[in-house]
Amino acid sequence: MVGTGGGAEVAVRRWIEAGGGRLVLDGGLATELEANGADLNDPLWSAKCLLTSPHLIRKASAHAVHLDYLEAGANIISSASYQATVQGFESKGFSKEQSENLLTKSVEIANEAREIFLKEHSNQSPPVQRPILVAASIGSYGAYLADGSEYSGDYGEAGTVEFLKDFHRRRLQVLAEAGPDLIAFETIPNKLEAQAYVELLEECNINIPAWFSFNSKDGVNIVSGDSLIECATIADKCGKVGAVGINCTPPRFIHGLILSIRKVSIALSYLFLIGMISDKPILIYPNSGERYDGEKKEWVESTGVTDGDFVSYVSEWRKDGAALIGGCCRTTPNTTGPYSEL
């Protein structure tokens, strides 16, 4: 755990340094679960496996998704809690206590996978020395709705900071208490939710480094139309946030989005020099370039500009300043490539 006052950024930078100047994130968890036979056609999405098939996530076998990513060279694996919420489990008939236990289980499974990996490689020469971290995944309110609104940011009457804080509060507390190394606020679609997260981190006194990742469909703003620069500034000003970036966005947009995030650091450089604002590491983990159709509940090929080979972008993103790189939806250890290329 870390303290306030920029401690989260310090912790992330230390991990980056220990990783040789970069950290590699895992790829699409649900994509790999489905490839290994999981049926995720459910509002819980990848969290459904916490109920029906946790062995696919952790068991020491060819079907172990967390272990697959660690074997491929990932430094960070994310828990199967992106779409897991107390409210979602309760809608399935579970009690509040059972729902909270399932959230805890998602982090425990990832921690167990790390332990299995390290034990299996304990006798190799040289021993595994790279950082291996567990991130507790927290999806947006739109992810809970499972109606595609995580790709629009349109929450209607629910679009207030106080409502979103009430929705996420207990989930954040439970996941933090489960013992992850990081808290990953993912696919943030609007400025309101970013503000809600910042306030919750302070109010709940969360002393585990967090990252904020936003998503974009035009390469300029985040999906709600809110300014990426404004959203990144909200995250940048919070001492409990250790990294800021982009996820679940077509690879072709990442270059420009990284430059936009860097503008925040440039614009706030004076405050940074006098110790008032942090200059967060940048993380990016794009999707495969496909587009999610919220009505059909499936991924469809994008039209127009091709995304080409995912791997070809990696060196560019590193030159742009990204220090944490991985993949999101529809990416796998075999298709993303950053594990060997970084």
Side-chain angles (χ1 to χ4, degrees):
M1 293 187 179
V2 297
T4 57
E9 178 195 343
V10 171
V12 173
R13 288 197 178 281
R14 285 175 178 167
W15 285 323
I16 292 170
E17 182 179 355
R22 88 290 183 270
L23 291 174
V24 181
L25 284 63
D26 58 10
L29 177 63
T31 302
E32 281 291 273
L33 287 169
E34 289 177 325
N36 287 312
D39 178 6
L40 303 183
N41 185 20
D42 190 278
L44 292 176
W45 201 39
S46 59
K48 180 183 177 184
C49 284
L50 298 173
L51 308 176
T52 61
S53 49
H55 62 284
L56 291 178
I57 306 174
R58 67 178 174 183
K59 188 178 177 182
S61 71
H63 292 171
V65 176
H66 285 326
L67 285 165
D68 284 348
Y69 281 116
L70 292 175
E71 292 289 354
N75 298 108
I76 301 176
I77 53 175
S78 298
S79 63
S81 54
Y82 174 80
Q83 218 149 307
T85 63
V86 173
Q87 298 89 333
F89 288 128
E90 287 180 332
S91 72
K92 295 286 188 179
F94 292 93
S95 68
K96 181 179 179 181
E97 181 180 4
Q98 289 171 323
S99 300
E100 293 180 357
N101 288 340
L102 286 166
L103 284 171
T104 299
K105 183 178 180 180
S106 70
V107 175
E108 290 176 344
I109 288 173
N111 281 329
E112 289 169 11
R114 170 172 55 187
E115 292 171 6
I116 292 170
F117 175 79
L118 290 175
K119 183 176 181 180
E120 290 181 344
H121 292 266
S122 60
N123 295 323
Q124 76 175 42
S125 181
V128 175
Q129 295 180 326
R130 72 180 193 268
I132 299 179
L133 309 169
V134 170
S137 172
I138 295 181
S140 66
Y141 175 67
Y144 156 74
L145 296 176
D147 62 358
S149 57
E150 69 206 278
Y151 299 105
S152 70
D154 182 6
Y155 293 166
E157 295 181 358
T160 68
V161 170
E162 289 305 316
F163 176 90
L164 294 171
K165 283 165 60 177
D166 288 342
F167 175 80
H168 287 293
R169 182 175 286 105
R170 187 55 187 154
R171 175 196 197 187
L172 171 60
Q173 293 171 328
V174 171
L175 287 172
E177 291 166 2
D181 303 294
L182 294 146
I183 303 287
F185 294 99
E186 306 187 279
T187 325
I188 306 172
N190 57 45
K191 184 167 60 176
L192 283 172
E193 200 148 24
Q195 184 62 42
Y197 289 149
V198 163
E199 293 183 17
L200 277 179
L201 285 170
E202 296 291 348
E203 292 172 12
C204 297
N205 194 29
I206 303 300
N207 289 322
I208 296 171
W211 81 54
F212 279 25
S213 58
F214 302 90
N215 58 333
S216 174
K217 56 187 175 185
D218 63 6
V220 179
N221 300 307
I222 67 173
V223 293
S224 63
D226 290 339
S227 163
L228 173 62
I229 291 178
E230 289 183 19
C231 292
T233 301
I234 290 171
D236 202 73
K237 290 181 178 179
C238 179
K240 294 179 180 289
V241 177
V244 181
I246 301 293
N247 79 297
C248 213
T249 295
R252 64 183 180 275
F253 293 145
I254 297 300
H255 171 72
L257 293 169
I258 292 176
L259 298 184
S260 293
I261 294 173
R262 289 181 62 187
K263 288 179 182 178
V264 173
S265 298
I266 294 172
L268 299 175
S269 59
Y270 172 70
L271 294 177
F272 170 66
L273 288 174
I274 63 175
M276 293 177 62
I277 293 291
S278 61
D279 181 18
K280 315 287 189 189
I282 295 175
L283 75 154
I284 61 97
Y285 48 118
N287 59 33
S288 65
E290 296 169 89
R291 176 180 60 84
Y292 186 74
D293 187 319
E295 293 184 2
K296 295 181 179 178
K297 299 189 183 302
E298 62 183 24
W299 289 88
V300 297
E301 291 187 7
S302 297
T303 57
V305 181
T306 179
D307 281 283
D309 182 6
F310 192 105
V311 178
S312 66
Y313 290 98
V314 173
S315 60
E316 177 184 42
W317 296 334
R318 292 195 64 192
K319 290 177 183 177
D320 290 337
L324 301 92
I325 300 177
C328 196
C329 296
R330 313 292 285 179
T331 65
T332 71
N334 296 320
T335 59
T336 56
Y339 311 100
S340 59
E341 294 293 323
L342 281 176

